Amino acid sequence: MNDSVLGRFASWLERTYSTEALKVRYPFAVSPSPALFRRFRNPEAEWEVPFHFDFGRFLRDYYAEYVSVLRQYAIDCGVQGVPFFLNIHGTGVIFQETCKTQDGPTFTRKLLVNLDYLFRSSYMSV
């Protein structure tokens, strides 16, 4: 977590929560600063669960913006007429089934479903 990302995260917190709600979630000021970044890199038990939840929500927005920029780069370079697919490592599930043809041989069919793409596709609008 570099300072730039943590600065954006702190700004996201300020936009997302009221001042009162932030004081409940985090027992310190969340304005971007080197001291805040050190705290975020070493969360304390008192606020690590809200931090984990909030940082995960922030990353969805951050990645959505990043993917949107990449998509626009591709379009600007002439890529068109193809679907844009987002694959985030570690979010897929492989469904496997064994099939038997009429002639008798069997084969295994695998289907990889990227759960993150399915669940967030409307959220991220890639």
Side-chain angles (χ1 to χ4, degrees), residues 4-5 21 27 35 42 46 60 69 73 75 88 97 119-120:
S4 175
V5 171
N42 298 292
E46 178 184 356
R60 290 178 187 154
V69 169
Y73 286 164
I75 291 169
I88 298 176
E97 68 177 332
F119 292 130
R120 299 196 212 312

Side-chain angles (χ1 to χ4, degrees), residues 72-119:
Q72 191 57 53
Y73 286 164
I75 291 169
D76 291 347
C77 290
V79 176
Q80 55 186 327
V82 297
F84 291 93
F85 181 79
L86 173 63
N87 181 20
I88 298 176
H89 179 72
T91 60
V93 174
I94 295 177
F95 295 97
Q96 179 174 318
E97 68 177 332
T98 301
C99 304
K100 187 171 179 102
T101 63
Q102 288 182 341
D103 301 355
T106 61
F107 64 95
T108 301
R109 179 170 55 184
K110 292 183 178 181
L111 173 64
L112 173 64
V113 177
N114 188 302
L115 297 178
D116 193 71
Y117 178 77
L118 291 176
F119 292 130

